[in-house]
Every structure is written in C-alpha cells, then in structure tokens.
Amino acid sequence: MTAARSGPAFSLHDIPFSAHGSWFGISPVLAEETRAEDLHLVSHQNGMHAVLRFTPLDAMTGERAWTRVEATPGLLSWTGEQGRIRLAYASPETVRLRGEGLGLRINAAADTLTPFTGTYFYRDPVDGAYLFTSYETGRRYRVTVLSGTVAEVSGSQTLGTGERGVAVTAAPGGVWEAAIEELDSARLPYTSSETFDTIVATAEHAFTAFADAVAPWRSSGTPAAELAAYVLWSATVRPAALVTRPAVLMSKHWMDKVWSWDHCFNALALAPGAPALAWDQFSLPFDHQDKTGALPDSVTHSEVLYNFVKPPIHGWTLSHLRRRLPEPLSRTELAEIYGRLARWAEFWLTARRAPGATLPHYQHGNDSGWDNATTFDPERVVVTADLAAFLVLQLRELSVLANELGLADEARRWTVTAEATQAAMLDELWTGERFVARGVDSAQTWESSSLLDLMPMALGEHLPEHIGKALAARIETHLTPHGLATELPTSPHYLADGYWRGPIWAPATVLIEDGLRRAGHHRLADEISARFRALCETHGFAENFDALTGTGLRDRAYTWTASSYLLLAEAHAHRDSR
C-alpha cells in the first residue's frame, strides 16, 4: 500500500473524529453548549446521542490518567506520561483501539437506565464480548477485547442507576487491543486479521484519495483546503432509515441534518471530484418532495420535517452544478430533475402566491433560511426581493432545461413567468434606491439593515446595470475585515452572536460573490472572497462567525462553510493560475 500523508491536525472541541459513511463520531461535544471532560462515542441515529464514555486509566492504579488528545483524519490518540491509546476506523461501523502503558474504561454515557431511556449493559455468553444496548439510538455497541486483560466489569445486567462498563488494560510492557462496533441487533463474533497500523494506513489513504479528488488544486495559497475536505469526508453518512442516499450532514455535532438549501453548497463543492456524491447531495431532499411540490425543511436519520421550507436556490445551484460536473447529465437524469425542479417552482407559484399576486411570499423567516433576520421584524408573512430573485433564476433554468428536452412551449412559459416575476419585483419592491419588503396582510412596506434585502444581487447579469451598482454599493457597507455582516454593524439591532442579525454566514457570501462577479463587479467580489477565505483559514469552519472579531460561533464543524471555502478557494486558485 502506498504511504499516505497523515493529514491536518485538528481539535476535537471543534471537529469530531469520524469517517466517511459512519453514523457516529468520537467527540467531547455532547449537545449544543455541552462539552464533557472525556471523549464520547456519539451516534446520530435517531438524533444526536452520547452512548459511550472513554476514560484513560493509569495502568498501575486504575485511576484516571491525564492525557493529551490529538487527532488527524486517520488517527485519534490519547498520550500521557505512562503511554498512549490510539483509535482508528476499521470500517464505518467499527473502530479499533490499541493501548500501551495506559488502560481505558469504556462506560455507558448515561448512568440511569429506565424502561424507556438509557443503556443496558451485559456480557454476551456466546462470544464473551460486552454489549451496550441504547434506547436512544435503537442500536447496540459491542466491545470485543482482542488482546490484553479485562481489568474490571461494572454494572453487568444492572437496572436503575449505576456505573456500567468495562476497563481494558495490559501487563507492564504489554499491549491491549479492542474493537467497538455499532450494530443493529446481532452479528457474528468480531474477527480481523488486519493489524492496527494497517487499519490506520487504510483510513489515511481513504481520506487522502478524497482530498486529492475534491481539492487537487490545493497549495500553500489555500492552507485550509485539506481540513475543509476532512470536514466534508467525515460528516458523510451511508444510506440508512430516511436518508435515501449517501449524505453529507451539516455536521456530526448537533446540526446533524440535511437542510434543503445547505445541501446545495456541498453538492457544488463535491461536483468536479466526487460527481456521484455531489448528485446525491443535490437530489436527496427531492426524494422527499411532497405532492404539492414542496421540499422538506430538513431530512435526517429518523425524521423529515415539512413545517417550513427553504428558499428556491435550486435553479441557481443546478445551473452551476451542471457546469461543474465532469460529465453531462443523461437525458433520463435531465428529465427527472426537470420534473422535480418544475414541481418545486410550481409550489411557489401556487401555494405561496396570494390571489391576484405576481410575487410569492415567505410565511416565516425560517422559510428564507435567514430565520431571525431583521427583515422579518415588522411581520413574518412577507413578500421579499430575495425570494423573487431566487425564483426568477429557477424559472430561467427551467426554461433552459425544457429547451434541451425539446419542450418548446414549456420553455416559453417559464421564460414569460420569469420575466413577469422580475418585472413585478422591480415594480413593487424597488424604491429607486433599494429593495423593501411588504407584508402580505398589511400591504405595508419597510426597509431594514439586513443583508437579506441585498440578496437580489444573485441575479447578476440579469439585473439592470444601475440596480446592480446600487446593490453593490450597499453590499460594500456590510463588509467588515472578516467578511459580509448579515446586519449592518452600525444597526441598533446588530448582535455579535445574533444568528442572522450580524454574524457572517457562508451561503450569503457565496451567493453574493457569484452575483457580483456575474454582474461585472470583480473588485468587490475578489475582496469578499479573500476575506472569507482568510476567515476560514484563521477560525475554521463554524456555522457562522462574529463579523467584527472573526470568532467561530455555534456549531464549529459545519459542512456548508467548508464547502463554501472550497468553492471560493478553487476559483481563486484557478484565477491565479490564469
């Protein structure tokens, strides 16, 4: 086997240790704003659940040992004065452990077992393995000791409250090894002829191959590209339950879903190097499209939510995606996605247009993806220019697809609807200086200091030149040293950690940067790209960032942020090469 680079080091407080295809990771992050002293096995089946707790032990005393935790894409290590413990993925369902000089206690994360919650623990008399059965995940976790000594077993078959687990160690100078599997019900006893070092090398090779595929252009000028690739690679899960395809979750922290606009940025980043996975990302929400044409708000292992939707950026996405895929879509694929995209557009044209209205409306800020943006402060059921702009782009893409499929009448209908929607947007929402929002019930209009009001920049070359220039000038006022603030920092409503009321977000950055570039505003587009790339290179791939300090906020391992960095870094690298 060719030796692979070990890959970038990262903090487990920011990014969980996991592997492509796995539904669990190793992390101290147990929930939003909840971090533990010990690392845990955290599963994302049936939600996010800490199942097992790992505690390094002094091999002589059996007491907790102080260790330093280090992680690279293929290997997690606890290192202390007496020795070290290493962990690597042997498969998406199995991790292998090897200890020298240190023992390890593997306990149920929850001390209390009720008839409905917690983890039951026992020794399996069939093969001598130790089983943890989790009510929360509905799965079993089997610990097989391959070498060394079982130093202690606590709480086997115990009900109620108490410690449950097993401690593994080895004689002085010896080595112990174990395997932990996440399984559904039963499985043949665990066996493996692979050495631990071979398992590590295989995992490192798998990641390196992925990074080489999705970011072959990376260099010292794009220093965060390899870590961005790891965030995507490690957040990918295999198909299971309601997840119909291999899926890149937004995170293997608590944001462990696929939302119906987040997935678009992951699809675009993956397209050139992992086209099949990219197409799966774009298609997954459409697998759950309802009879009205609406996409779900989100999809995860055991839950599909429809109480909100997300903005129709899928026409914009598909236009870019088709250019980035190394092979054109087949006619069958083209016809299928045309039908799905058409139903999604019709949802906005029917279920989201009031009688007599030309423009569609949101029912809540959540529908826009900008949940609490100040645009929605006066009212929530509103007509906004960003929604109209995204729908126009989708209608234009549908016209292109219809022409390719030989559906000339449908192509003309989509074009006419796109032109009418854009004309209504300009007539009803453009004041001559800026776009405003309008309440559907009150018919009142208002302006805000939210970057959301400037998102029609995504129309790019389709905007009248004077409107494009006006939007570009306003966009520049949102530009901090780190990127585009979603609320003007001078606004009385600005909040440093205010979600969409100030922090920098990846999707707004990418959409605006692209629209500016297509409208000819290259200087500003270059500046936005450079500042966002520097932000990620310094502060990682957080869900969002403090616009004034750059500090990463909320979930710190967010895939659409990593994907947005890859998109902007790739484009920058190609511009540099030219």
Side-chain angles (χ1 to χ4, degrees):
M1 179 182 297
T2 303
R5 299 186 301 275
S6 61
F10 55 91
S11 167
L12 279 121
H13 285 276
D14 293 335
I15 302 170
F17 181 76
S18 192
H20 192 87
S22 180
W23 277 95
F24 67 86
I26 311 299
S27 175
V29 179
L30 311 187
E32 185 175 5
E33 299 183 358
T34 304
R35 284 173 165 78
E37 180 180 1
D38 290 324
L39 298 184
H40 285 63
L41 184 152
V42 181
S43 179
H44 297 275
Q45 301 202 59
N46 289 326
M48 180 185 184
H49 304 289
V51 181
L52 302 178
R53 181 171 70 249
F54 300 114
T55 307
L57 303 175
D58 184 306
M60 299 299 293
T61 66
E63 299 298 315
R64 177 191 295 273
W66 178 90
T67 58
R68 179 179 70 256
V69 175
E70 299 170 306
T72 58
L75 181 66
L76 166 64
S77 301
W78 293 262
T79 304
E81 292 181 0
Q82 298 92 352
R84 65 174 177 169
I85 302 165
R86 295 184 292 163
L87 181 151
Y89 274 82
S91 74
E93 299 173 338
T94 305
V95 292
R96 282 274 293 271
L97 296 115
R98 179 180 172 89
E100 306 165 66
L102 291 173
L104 184 69
R105 180 181 294 122
I106 305 166
N107 273 9
D111 288 336
T112 300
L113 175 67
T114 78
F116 307 104
T117 63
T119 303
Y120 175 60
F121 172 66
Y122 66 99
R123 178 183 177 277
D124 190 340
V126 173
D127 60 6
Y130 295 88
L131 269 293
F132 297 85
T133 299
S134 167
Y135 274 104
E136 282 75 16
T137 69
R139 302 298 182 275
R140 299 178 180 217
Y141 301 83
R142 181 168 68 181
V143 179
T144 302
V145 178
L146 304 173
S147 65
T149 304
V150 175
E152 181 185 359
V153 177
S154 304
S156 179
Q157 302 183 52
T158 296
L159 306 179
T161 299
E163 185 178 276
R164 297 169 176 80
V166 56
V168 188
T169 189
V175 174
W176 62 265
E177 292 200 21
I180 302 177
E181 304 161 88
E182 182 176 56
L183 50 93
D184 291 342
S185 55
R187 189 180 293 172
L188 292 174
Y190 178 83
T191 60
S192 175
S193 60
E194 288 187 300
T195 67
F196 185 84
D197 288 342
T198 299
I199 288 168
V200 173
T202 300
E204 290 176 345
H205 180 80
F207 166 69
T208 300
F210 179 86
D212 288 344
V214 302
W217 39 263
R218 66 193 189 278
S219 69
S220 60
T222 55
E226 200 160 4
L227 188 57
Y230 175 74
V231 170
L232 285 174
W233 180 79
S234 64
T236 303
V237 295
R238 67 188 184 280
L242 297 173
V243 174
T244 51
R245 303 164 182 261
V248 180
L249 303 179
M250 288 313 105
S251 174
K252 279 185 181 168
H253 287 324
W254 60 91
M255 299 296 280
D256 56 352
K257 297 184 178 185
V258 176
W259 275 269
S260 291
W261 72 312
D262 309 44
H263 71 114
C264 292
F265 301 91
N266 290 341
L268 290 172
L270 291 167
L277 184 61
W279 190 246
D280 283 332
Q281 301 325 296
F282 185 71
S283 301
L284 194 151
F286 286 96
D287 292 346
H288 297 278
Q289 192 170 24
D290 75 11
K291 62 183 179 181
T292 71
L295 296 183
D297 185 42
S298 63
V299 179
T300 191
H301 179 269
S302 303
E303 177 185 81
V304 180
L305 298 181
Y306 291 92
N307 53 327
F308 294 105
V309 293
K310 285 293 175 275
I313 68 166
H314 300 81
W316 171 86
T317 304
L318 185 60
S319 175
H320 285 284
L321 185 60
R322 292 175 67 199
R323 287 193 290 272
R324 290 178 59 77
L325 289 170
E327 300 290 337
L329 297 177
S330 69
R331 187 173 180 84
T332 299
E333 290 171 323
L334 207 61
E336 180 183 39
I337 198 58
Y338 172 73
R340 290 177 157 193
L341 199 65
R343 290 193 296 276
W344 181 217
E346 291 290 359
F347 165 81
W348 290 99
L349 295 171
T350 54
R352 290 301 181 90
R353 285 202 301 191
T358 304
L359 297 177
H361 60 266
Y362 292 130
Q363 294 176 343
H364 186 281
N366 289 359
D367 284 341
S368 73
W370 294 53
D371 309 356
N372 66 334
T374 53
T375 299
F376 300 99
D377 280 0
E379 298 178 40
R380 261 57 64 197
V381 183
V382 295
V383 173
T384 63
D386 70 294
L387 172 54
F390 293 144
L391 186 58
V392 166
L393 291 172
Q394 186 148 306
L395 294 167
R396 290 185 182 280
E397 181 64 13
L398 282 166
S399 180
V400 171
L401 295 174
N403 272 319
E404 290 184 36
L405 292 167
L407 305 172
D409 290 344
E410 292 189 27
R412 282 190 291 273
R413 178 170 66 87
W414 294 124
T415 297
V416 167
T417 308
E419 291 173 349
T421 303
Q422 181 162 333
M425 178 188 76
L426 298 178
D427 181 56
E428 299 176 26
L429 302 179
W430 179 252
T431 66
E433 297 180 350
R434 62 178 303 147
F435 283 109
V436 294
R438 186 181 72 238
V440 174
D441 290 334
S442 69
Q444 298 295 311
T445 61
W446 59 88
E447 57 188 50
S448 79
S449 299
S450 175
L451 186 65
L452 183 63
D453 294 1
L454 307 177
M455 291 307 293
M457 192 72 243
L459 282 166
E461 70 277 18
H462 302 297
L463 278 172
E465 185 177 357
H466 72 285
I467 293 179
K469 286 182 177 178
L471 290 177
R474 288 188 178 275
I475 287 166
E476 195 153 15
T477 67
H478 284 257
L479 191 57
T480 75
H482 304 286
L484 289 172
T486 46
E487 179 78 8
L488 274 176
T490 55
S491 162
H493 305 294
Y494 176 87
L495 294 171
D497 186 10
Y499 226 50
W500 293 93
R501 300 171 81 92
I504 295 164
W505 285 79
T509 301
V510 170
L511 285 159
I512 283 180
E513 192 269 357
D514 172 69
L516 285 167
R517 206 170 289 285
R518 288 188 290 111
H521 299 281
H522 295 286
R523 180 200 60 80
L524 182 54
D526 286 344
E527 192 61 35
I528 290 169
S529 172
R531 294 190 192 190
F532 185 80
R533 286 183 281 113
L535 176 67
C536 294
E537 288 159 6
T538 304
H539 295 283
F541 305 106
E543 184 179 355
N544 53 72
F545 303 87
D546 185 310
L548 301 183
T549 68
T551 302
L553 302 171
R554 308 297 175 109
D555 195 314
R556 303 294 290 275
Y558 219 73
T559 55
W560 77 353
T561 307
S563 287
S564 295
Y565 175 82
L566 290 172
L567 286 167
L568 295 174
E570 177 190 7
H572 168 69
H574 289 163
R575 283 193 298 273
D576 265 12
S577 68
R578 289 196 297 269

